[in-house]
Amino acid sequence: MSLNRILVPVKRVIDYAVKVRVTGGKIDTNVKHSMNPFDEIAIEEAVRMKEKKFAKEVIAMTVGPTKSQETLRTALAMGADRAIHVEVPEGQEVLPLQVAKLIRAIADKEKPEVVILGKQAIDDDSSQTGQMLAGLLNWSQAAFANKIEVEAGKLTVTREVDGGLETVSTKLPTIITTDLRLNEPRYATLPNIMKAKKKKVDKFTPKDLNVDITPSIETIKIEEPAKRSGGKKVESVDELIDKLKNEAKVL
Amino acid sequence: MLLRSACRIPKLGRFGLTPNRSISLSTQAVIPTATRYPHIIRDASFKEIEEKDIAFFRNAIKSPAGVITSEAPDELEPFNQDWMRRFKGRCSAVLRPTNSAEVSAVLKYCNENRIAVVPQGGNTGLVGGSVPVHDEIVLSLQNMNKIREFDPISGVLTCDAGCVLEVLDNHLEKQGFIMPLDLGAKGSCQIGGNVATNAGGLRLLRYGSLHGTVLSMEVVLADGRIVELGKPLRKDNTGFDLKQLFIGSEGTLGIITSVSILAPRRPKAVNVAMLGVSSFEGVQELFKYAKSELNEILSAYEFFDRTCLKLVKHHIPGIREPFETDVPFYVLIETSGSNKDHDDEKLSAFLDHVMTEGLVEDGALAQDTTQVAGMWNIRETITESLAKEGGNYKYDLSVPVPKLYSVVEEMQERLASVGLFAKDGSASGRVKHVVGFGHMGDGNLHLNLTSTGWSKDIEKAIEPFLYEVVQRHGGSISAEHGLGLMKAPYLRYSKSDDFIDLMKSMKMVFDPKGIMNPYKYFPS
């Protein structure tokens, strides 16, 4: 069996290794950004399915500001065939429901049989887009996948659930969200980075797709978690006992 | 941000691995240095320490765990042997002062009583310089670990000698600065040891050596005098620049107790690419081109050969090869700058060119910080992988760049000719691997050999042959590891007799009784 098309929505987020800082009630975004790690896994899985001839084409898409094109280039360098950029103004917040509506609009145009996306983005941790998309499209879904097998007319997906693994079979078309252990994404090699430069990126605005992205949720406050007060080294057992008694007052 | 901490990526080498994980290395018992090198006879004029000396030390060093003695042999052991398990002394006292006054009191006493002293930092050295040969006492700086001052305008950091390099780097990071040096051992090594051994490392290409970045220091001389060697100024042309003598003196002149070092701004944009090259000539061509096109943003140019990568993949869990093309040489390029778009554009043009011109066979560009760490992890775990092979002979050499790899090939030829090494890559000889890697940008080759265990005849097949090769190519027998015990006998391959005589005169000025780190550094 071979699918015609897999759509992989990806998101540009603050790099996994960067410590997020809040300054003046806002998140400091003047730091390194990369592709959401779960989306990297989604791209990798789609590209592997294509390499195994389970799929003919992999399309990467993103909703984000101009700089999100970098993220699409990474997806293309990893092996996606072409990309779609739904451009929104820098600093514009787009909530999961709006993102899901934008993905639905692209899915309506491109008619993929499978949409694979990260189970959540590591910036807002919403974990809603995939599920909402399944609802909007009225497709089957298998969230938190750690293994995907392709069979005639259906996919068998092993899911990570509390306390173990659950294997489900989903009819096509379907939505899959990726969990951590699904695969290990590849590096972008130079020949592929060069090829990626020549691949096509189509651009849309939310307006082109008839989606209103006015947020329905208002952010009231952003603050950093309370700072942990530093530990202390003690020189001897006596000192430790003394501190436990007199400073921490736990003895 | 739950997932930032829960995400897949385990702690990678660049941030986690330290070479003091000696537990995972060979389990063979360490041969005492005095047994392995019987010709290094204990200097009978040194006093063997007794109860009353210990009593003095206990009184001089106030903190409760400041003196460790043979009453606690398990605690003594890590100070007596090096992390590679090649050198082992038998000191019966380790002193851990917390300030210069205590160091002064101890040295004054030792000088008056002719007690030999080995200064010790993080004990991550590779030439046996930081552990006793016989019964010299160890003076560990590990309890002198206060950061004294940092001036964000000049970038001058002043700290105690026992501060761990990584701790300093983390401290500076919060203020947007970076330590001018970075080593694989950063999690354990101390700044005092770094300066005393003139450590090079991964940032030397960009920020220069410690001879330029160390502005001043405080030292305690053998007789107990505490002396400021200069002030933390960038310019100071008054008198001899004595601190330079202490940089790389390996504890033979006195003890460095504090350091003022110039910290550059931390780069905002860092990119890393790993490239595959088909010949060593190609590695040089690529270097030339990288210098010209990446110029001021080029911050590392590291190379390693195929066998290194093979061993890393074999020994280090979770290592992934960035690309599959089989090539004999790999190059890791790092750029650091203040403007990401600018750097990206330069690097992208550079990579385009080297790929289309065929300078590289294949390559990969890290797309996020995790991949940056993953690529560095390959380079930085070479040392650990080699150590896991069993017996590991390490040579750190300075060689003019064009001759860098031919030293490895000449060594392979030589060992093959005496029947110790199989050149077909089958690892069937007693010497299994002869590999080269290092800081190509600085002309620094790390030549490593692995075998099942240490043996005298293998060592004899390597030395002094290797040093002769290096001398013939106009190189130096030690680039960044120092002389210590291991290379002291071969100093003449790098320095003239007159030079060595001058060194000995200097030693007489600073340490006339010769109590500081004896048996090492000078050829006998």
Side-chain angles (χ1 to χ4, degrees):
Chain A
M1 183 198 77
S2 178
L3 309 166
N4 283 319
R5 214 159 280 138
I6 302 175
L7 178 65
V8 186
V10 297
K11 185 178 184 182
R12 175 178 181 265
V13 298
I14 290 179
D15 189 278
Y16 158 73
V18 172
K19 190 183 177 316
V20 178
R21 288 204 168 87
V22 178
T23 43
K26 277 188 182 162
I27 290 169
D28 178 10
T29 54
N30 192 19
V31 294
K32 181 163 175 65
H33 283 65
S34 317
M35 190 191 295
N36 177 35
F38 291 108
D39 301 343
E40 250 185 306
I41 294 171
I43 288 281
E44 176 68 32
E45 195 64 19
V47 171
R48 285 187 194 181
M49 284 165 79
K50 190 191 158 188
E51 285 167 348
K52 287 181 194 150
K53 310 260 186 263
F54 292 151
K56 293 200 182 89
E57 190 182 30
V58 176
I59 307 172
M61 72 164 286
T62 193
V63 176
T66 317
K67 281 184 179 155
S68 309
Q69 275 196 33
E70 277 174 28
T71 311
L72 288 178
R73 289 288 165 208
T74 300
L76 294 170
M78 286 175 71
D81 298 288
R82 58 190 172 93
I84 295 167
H85 182 195
V86 180
E87 191 164 356
V88 298
E90 176 79 50
Q92 165 86 47
E93 191 184 9
V94 193
L95 296 169
L97 180 60
Q98 273 98 24
V99 175
K101 284 179 178 172
L102 291 165
I103 299 172
R104 175 181 61 176
I106 298 298
D108 285 344
K109 280 181 192 292
E110 298 289 348
K111 309 256 181 299
E113 292 99 325
V114 178
V115 179
I116 307 181
L117 63 169
K119 70 169 183 177
Q120 70 197 86
I122 61 166
D123 53 358
D124 59 24
D125 274 357
S126 294
S127 190
Q128 294 171 345
T129 306
Q131 293 87 331
M132 285 175 167
L133 179 65
L136 290 170
L137 286 167
N138 200 21
W139 289 8
S140 63
Q141 62 168 319
F144 317 127
N146 96 352
K147 194 176 172 193
I148 301 172
E149 283 159 299
V150 188
E151 288 166 56
K154 62 171 190 178
L155 296 182
T156 305
V157 179
T158 308
R159 310 176 55 228
E160 300 213 357
V161 293
D162 276 355
L165 298 172
E166 178 185 72
T167 306
V168 297
S169 158
T170 69
K171 270 195 214 129
L172 296 173
T174 194
I175 313 286
I176 296 171
T177 71
T178 60
D179 215 318
L180 225 47
R181 282 155 283 268
L182 180 59
N183 61 47
E184 262 195 279
R186 68 194 63 192
Y187 287 94
T189 64
L190 292 188
N192 288 337
I193 290 171
M194 288 169 72
K195 272 185 223 151
K197 287 184 182 163
K198 296 191 185 91
K199 289 179 182 172
K200 200 170 98 181
V201 179
D202 289 320
K203 269 195 192 182
F204 296 97
T205 62
K207 214 177 147 204
D208 297 336
L209 302 169
N210 288 320
V211 177
D212 179 11
I213 57 163
T214 318
S216 54
I217 295 176
E218 186 193 349
T219 304
I220 298 165
K221 199 164 80 177
I222 295 169
E223 57 185 359
E224 279 191 40
K227 286 217 164 46
R228 180 186 166 276
S229 58
K232 220 179 247 171
K233 266 194 188 172
V234 291
E235 290 273 349
S236 64
V237 176
D238 291 345
E239 197 187 339
L240 175 67
I241 291 170
D242 177 67
K243 287 210 186 303
L244 290 174
K245 264 189 190 155
N246 301 320
E247 261 179 53
K249 300 198 193 301
V250 290
L251 285 185
Chain B
M1 292 319 135
L2 184 76
L3 285 157
R4 274 180 203 279
S5 50
C7 211
R8 142 184 46 113
I9 303 91
K11 217 172 173 209
L12 290 167
R14 190 125 217 255
F15 311 112
L17 293 180
T18 55
N20 59 0
R21 300 204 307 187
S22 49
I23 334 97
S24 62
L25 306 178
S26 160
T27 48
Q28 268 180 25
V30 185
I31 307 165
T33 307
T35 311
R36 183 186 280 191
Y37 303 104
H39 61 278
I40 308 175
I41 297 158
R42 185 182 182 280
D43 181 343
S45 70
F46 287 133
K47 180 170 190 273
E48 286 179 37
I49 60 165
E50 0 168 1
E51 272 309 309
K52 65 170 198 215
D53 303 316
I54 301 277
F56 176 87
F57 297 141
R58 285 224 159 96
N59 189 43
I61 297 169
K62 297 286 179 277
S63 59
V67 181
I68 304 170
T69 66
S70 37
E71 287 164 12
D74 289 353
E75 284 178 52
L76 271 186
E77 175 143 320
F79 295 92
N80 257 325
Q81 71 183 44
D82 71 323
W83 73 276
M84 290 193 353
R85 304 166 55 87
R86 271 199 71 174
F87 303 97
K88 186 178 181 175
R90 49 174 186 88
C91 84
S92 51
V94 172
L95 312 183
R96 294 189 292 181
T98 49
N99 57 54
S100 328
E102 288 181 355
V103 176
S104 163
V106 165
L107 282 193
K108 186 165 185 285
Y109 181 85
C110 290
N111 197 47
E112 282 164 2
N113 291 281
R114 264 191 90 78
I115 296 171
V117 180
V118 177
Q120 190 179 90
N123 197 11
T124 61
L126 295 159
V127 288
S130 59
V131 289
V133 177
H134 295 287
D135 59 343
E136 306 93 277
I137 62 165
V138 169
L139 194 147
S140 163
L141 278 300
Q142 67 181 203
N143 286 352
M144 286 187 65
N145 51 15
K146 278 181 214 61
I147 296 172
R148 298 189 186 179
E149 203 185 347
F150 176 67
D151 174 13
I153 296 174
S154 62
V156 177
L157 171 80
T158 304
C159 63
D160 284 356
C163 291
V164 169
L165 181 59
E166 191 168 39
V167 172
L168 295 175
D169 201 47
N170 291 343
H171 179 79
L172 291 177
E173 184 178 11
K174 289 184 207 132
Q175 312 186 55
F177 287 78
I178 189 170
M179 286 299 283
L181 77 161
D182 183 23
L183 317 176
K186 72 198 277 190
S188 331
C189 67
Q190 299 169 8
I191 189 67
N194 295 152
V195 173
T197 57
N198 191 17
L202 303 164
R203 291 179 188 150
L204 192 130
L205 180 68
R206 177 65 172 274
Y207 302 118
S209 88
L210 290 169
H211 282 295
T213 50
V214 172
L215 300 183
S216 66
M217 61 176 79
E218 176 194 84
V219 298
V220 178
L221 302 183
D223 62 8
R225 273 181 293 169
I226 304 174
V227 187
E228 291 287 340
L229 301 185
K231 292 193 181 70
L233 301 169
R234 293 204 69 172
K235 289 185 165 185
D236 181 7
N237 282 355
T238 53
F240 293 139
D241 193 358
L242 291 179
K243 68 167 186 291
Q244 302 295 1
L245 279 180
F246 277 75
I247 300 174
S249 63
E250 299 183 35
T252 58
L253 300 182
I255 295 186
I256 299 170
T257 46
S258 100
V259 172
S260 288
I261 191 165
L262 190 62
R265 289 304 297 213
R266 201 170 196 92
K268 292 189 186 120
V270 175
N271 283 312
V272 171
M274 195 168 275
L275 308 172
V277 189
S278 58
S279 68
F280 193 71
E281 287 68 40
V283 174
Q284 295 176 57
E285 267 313 295
L286 187 66
F287 179 52
K288 253 166 61 188
Y289 194 69
K291 289 248 276 195
S292 92
E293 296 307 300
L294 300 171
N295 200 329
E296 80 285 358
I297 61 167
L298 181 66
S299 55
Y301 191 98
E302 300 286 314
F303 92 99
F304 48 93
D305 60 24
R306 177 86 204 150
T307 314
C308 289
L309 182 65
K310 214 175 80 188
L311 294 175
V312 167
K313 275 170 65 188
H314 180 69
H315 288 290
I316 311 292
I319 286 286
R320 282 187 306 139
E321 216 171 319
F323 48 86
E324 306 276 301
T325 315
D326 212 23
V327 290
F329 294 101
Y330 294 84
V331 169
L332 183 150
I333 285 183
E334 184 191 74
T335 66
S336 323
S338 57
N339 183 327
K340 184 173 187 308
D341 294 339
H342 168 263
D343 291 9
D344 285 358
E345 199 180 313
K346 266 191 174 172
L347 183 59
S348 166
F350 168 80
L351 293 175
D352 259 9
H353 179 87
V354 298
M355 206 62 215
T356 42
E357 294 298 308
L359 274 171
V360 304
E361 298 294 306
D362 205 341
L365 175 65
Q367 300 293 307
D368 52 43
T369 313
T370 308
Q371 292 188 357
V372 166
M375 287 184 183
W376 267 117
N377 198 32
I378 295 175
R379 165 64 185 84
E380 291 193 333
T381 51
I382 293 173
T383 305
E384 189 182 337
S385 311
L386 287 162
K388 285 187 173 170
E389 281 287 299
N392 182 194
Y393 302 79
K394 311 176 83 68
Y395 296 90
D396 156 58
L397 311 163
S398 221
V399 186
V401 173
K403 298 287 174 201
L404 206 65
Y405 204 74
S406 65
V407 174
V408 179
E409 289 161 346
E410 284 176 59
M411 196 70 243
Q412 288 171 341
E413 285 293 338
R414 153 88 175 178
L415 292 173
S417 72
V418 295
L420 284 169
F421 176 68
K423 270 169 63 188
D424 56 4
S426 62
S428 55
R430 281 178 57 218
V431 173
K432 286 195 283 179
H433 305 289
V434 180
V435 305
F437 63 99
H439 318 295
M440 163 93 183
D442 313 319
N444 185 179
L445 169 73
H446 293 310
L447 172 71
N448 273 240
L449 301 89
T450 67
S451 76
T452 41
W454 182 84
S455 86
K456 192 82 206 168
D457 63 323
I458 293 179
E459 192 172 273
K460 275 190 174 154
I462 306 168
E463 301 171 21
F465 170 82
L466 179 60
Y467 299 134
E468 285 161 10
V469 172
V470 170
Q471 188 180 36
R472 177 153 45 77
H473 290 313
S476 168
I477 61 158
S478 182
E480 60 176 13
H481 292 175
L483 295 165
L485 184 68
M486 181 177 151
K487 285 187 178 171
Y490 306 104
L491 183 57
R492 289 197 174 84
Y493 287 99
S494 281
K495 294 290 191 291
S496 69
D497 287 346
D498 283 343
F499 193 104
I500 296 168
D501 282 347
L502 277 172
M503 278 173 61
K504 286 181 175 163
S505 313
M506 290 295 170
K507 169 85 174 169
M508 282 308 288
V509 171
F510 288 94
D511 175 27
K513 291 191 179 176
I515 61 161
M516 298 305 305
N517 215 3
Y519 315 112
K520 301 162 190 161
Y521 203 69
F522 295 92
S524 46

